[in-house]
Amino acid sequence: MFPHWSRRTHPETTLPGGAEQGPETDGPREPDPTARRALGLLALLELSEELGVPRDPSGIADAALFNLLGQYGCTRGALWLLNGGEGPDAVPLRAQGVPAELAVEVGERWARWFRGQGAGAPDPVVVDRIARLSPPPPGVEPAQRAELAVLAPMTAGERVIGILALGPRVGAAEFGAVELEMLRTSLNLLALTMENTTLRNRDLENRRRLRAAAARVRELETSARETTGSTATLRSPVRPTRGELRGVLASIHDERRPGVIAELRELDFSSAADVPPAMFDPDVTKRVVDAMLDDAVRRAPCGARIRLRLEHGADSAGAWVAVEVRDDGPGLPPERLRGIFAGGATGPGGLSLAEAKRLAESMGARVSADSDPERGTVLTLRLPAA
Amino acid sequence: MANEFSIDRAPREGVAVLRVSGRLDAKNAQQLMTACQDARGSGGGHVVLNLADVTFVASSGIGTLLALTEEFRDAGGAVHLVSLSDAVTSVVELLNLRQFLNIGVSEQGTLEAIGG
């Protein structure tokens, strides 16, 4: 099934004349089972230690995947988290040696299959063995194309929360009962870490939302005491002052990242070099950027990357500084892009994009949107440079 | 030998030689992947990793070496491991990986063999 695995030294990479290849061995030999088991236990301890270091889900996936590749002697593998909400079922967190599109296909097929296995935690599946079923599960074919040998569910209680796949073992060794049992133990550890990380991120996000809601209530109370007229949003005092935006954005990124991760999206922050100071109101800017991020999280599918970026430039109206919120989702059709500021959908911060746009304009800034089916959507807050 | 992980690129033209030292584990697996991928272009798809000063290799470190070997092989090149420390040698032997990994005795000999 995987012919190239049986020959472990490829002709094209063999050194000419066999020179300098190190001491020769007498060909493949069976590893000492006791030593292998001891090494497996050691790898499990290492995994436990490595997962004890706080990381985001991608970092956890990296640590676990490379540990398991080393533990079982595999050169390829992938790890998916299963999405309980809208969007694709399986979000690939890390795929090593498996093309991205194929990883998506494999994840989707096996997510459905593992979830359809009824009550209890499903067992790991050895692809070669399950391929003999008639008919084989629909995930077998893409798994064989991806040269994956075993797929194992990550479960929390009886809920399947992720899937790990590993390629064939170097030396054509099989995944026997002992290896599968140890794999199950490793995945229980991994599932626990993922669950804890998700819960911690959700907790941080809930606290942030509570703080935002409390601030909104205070603002509405103040507005109610004042005279009637325009909306509460527009009546907030706006005082643009000269300042650096980088620190404000870094703080927004740090505050929002756990919530974005809990929604299975990534959020990163970067800045162009030598960005000049801008004229802005920090509180208003934060609320506008929060609304832009809320919109990106709502629109972009699970697994999407959202980029918060600080840019600067100049045009006929003068120098400007811009905050971009860019996602790599599927983009918006022109009719939806035209109406992006007309809708009243509000995020957890309580501000719709339409309100955010008006609020930005009240401090002399403007908000615009652009979208491309190839590159996703970008929302831009442009402020005058100071 | 220090336990602190580092990767130093030898100052030479052609095939890149990366000298790795310290503990090779999950904390630096990605760093090693990235360093090798970045160095691939200068040597026709070949990179030499000198592991003489690696004091400990965890499962994640072995996983990284395996993944790199396959990734480079698929792209028509190779990662060559040379001057393995005792810590690396014992794990490679125990896992029976010697025939899969491209292992050489010295930097110079390997560079001459691959014409780098």
Side-chain angles (χ1 to χ4, degrees):
Chain A
M1 181 177 151
F2 305 116
H4 72 279
W5 292 97
S6 57
R7 179 173 167 79
R8 291 171 296 177
T9 307
H10 291 215
E12 67 269 27
T13 55
T14 304
L15 303 185
E20 292 286 4
Q21 293 188 58
E24 288 297 322
T25 62
D26 297 328
R29 59 181 163 76
E30 284 301 311
D32 174 355
T34 310
R36 284 301 300 260
R37 194 171 296 205
L39 206 67
L41 287 171
L42 189 62
L44 193 58
L45 286 172
E46 286 168 6
L47 181 64
S48 166
E49 189 184 328
E50 287 160 0
L51 294 181
V53 178
R55 290 185 171 95
D56 63 24
S58 298
I60 294 169
D62 266 357
L65 189 59
F66 283 112
N67 175 289
L68 293 167
L69 290 178
Q71 184 178 161
Y72 296 102
C74 305
T75 60
R76 62 178 60 206
L79 199 150
W80 299 262
L81 275 190
L82 302 198
N83 174 27
E86 295 175 2
D89 250 0
V91 180
L93 276 190
R94 185 74 162 92
Q96 175 63 42
V98 180
E101 281 185 17
L102 192 50
V104 170
E105 186 182 349
V106 172
E108 287 292 307
R109 297 277 181 92
W110 286 97
R112 280 199 289 276
W113 194 81
F114 279 124
R115 279 178 169 157
Q117 292 305 296
D123 289 327
V125 165
V126 176
V127 176
D128 261 359
R129 287 179 212 156
I130 205 164
R132 295 180 203 135
L133 292 179
S134 183
V140 166
E141 189 273 326
Q144 288 176 328
R145 253 189 296 135
E147 298 187 9
L148 294 171
V150 66
L151 288 111
M154 273 162 51
T155 54
E158 295 195 344
R159 200 162 44 90
V160 182
I161 63 163
I163 301 172
L164 174 105
L166 295 174
R169 303 176 71 190
V170 166
E174 287 199 349
F175 281 93
V178 173
E179 283 80 13
L180 293 180
E181 194 51 44
M182 292 193 78
L183 182 58
R184 207 194 307 259
T185 308
S186 298
L187 289 184
N188 285 340
L189 199 59
L190 179 58
L192 192 64
T193 309
M194 283 290 187
E195 280 286 90
N196 283 342
T197 303
T198 305
L199 287 174
R200 186 173 58 85
N201 285 331
R202 286 207 178 117
D203 182 45
L204 290 170
E205 173 64 3
N206 286 339
R207 288 180 200 199
R208 186 192 70 78
R209 288 182 186 187
L210 277 174
R211 283 198 303 273
R216 180 90 165 139
V217 167
R218 280 197 300 276
E219 184 185 87
L220 289 170
E221 283 173 350
T222 305
S223 299
R225 282 197 295 270
E226 293 173 4
T227 54
T228 57
S230 54
T231 67
T233 302
L234 291 175
R235 288 165 48 74
S236 304
V238 176
R239 299 187 189 91
T241 52
R242 185 177 187 273
E244 302 282 349
L245 262 171
R246 183 194 277 261
V248 175
L249 291 191
S251 153
I252 292 173
H253 167 260
D254 291 348
E255 188 181 89
R256 295 299 307 264
R257 193 159 178 267
V260 175
I261 287 172
E263 300 290 331
L264 292 183
R265 279 88 167 163
E266 294 274 348
L267 175 65
D268 58 35
F269 168 55
S270 63
S271 172
D274 304 322
V275 177
M279 293 300 293
F280 66 99
D281 177 315
D283 180 54
V284 168
T285 302
K286 182 179 181 316
R287 293 179 62 196
V288 171
V289 174
D290 268 340
M292 289 158 67
L293 286 170
D294 288 340
D295 184 72
V297 172
R298 198 166 45 238
R299 241 180 328 88
C302 287
R305 181 175 289 275
I306 297 168
R307 294 191 158 90
L308 179 62
R309 179 157 177 84
L310 187 59
E311 276 291 351
H312 69 100
D315 55 23
S316 56
W320 49 261
V321 177
V323 180
E324 291 179 355
V325 173
R326 185 182 293 273
D327 68 69
D328 60 2
L332 293 171
E335 64 276 12
R336 278 194 63 198
L337 180 62
R338 277 195 296 275
I340 195 167
F341 296 111
T346 56
L351 209 59
S352 70
L353 267 188
E355 289 173 309
K357 188 169 187 289
R358 287 197 296 273
L359 194 54
E361 285 163 358
S362 72
M363 68 170 173
R366 53 194 172 92
V367 178
S368 60
D370 194 11
S371 192
D372 183 314
E374 300 285 317
R375 290 176 298 172
T377 303
V378 57
L379 294 168
T380 306
L381 166 68
R382 187 179 282 198
L383 300 142
Chain B
M1 280 182 282
N3 267 337
E4 196 171 326
F5 182 79
S6 68
I7 303 173
D8 296 313
R9 184 168 178 162
R12 68 183 307 282
E13 295 291 314
V15 174
V17 175
L18 303 179
R19 292 172 185 148
V20 185
S21 58
R23 289 172 61 95
L24 180 50
D25 57 25
K27 283 196 287 291
N28 41 56
Q30 195 57 48
Q31 191 183 339
L32 181 60
M33 288 288 288
T34 307
C36 288
Q37 286 158 349
D38 290 348
R40 176 159 41 193
S42 62
H46 290 262
V47 169
V48 173
L49 276 184
N50 185 323
L51 304 178
D53 290 334
V54 172
T55 53
F56 172 81
V57 60
S59 298
S60 344
I62 288 292
T64 309
L65 296 177
L66 288 168
L68 276 169
T69 300
E70 183 70 358
E71 191 176 302
F72 273 61
R73 198 169 272 178
D74 283 350
V79 172
H80 304 267
L81 313 181
V82 302
S83 306
L84 273 55
S85 67
D86 289 347
V88 181
T89 303
S90 60
V91 179
V92 167
E93 294 294 341
L94 197 55
L95 292 173
N96 200 14
L97 299 175
R98 183 173 281 280
Q99 292 200 0
F100 177 77
L101 300 169
N102 304 301
I103 297 175
V105 176
S106 68
E107 273 182 23
Q108 196 53 43
T110 299
L111 287 168
E112 284 169 12
I114 59 179

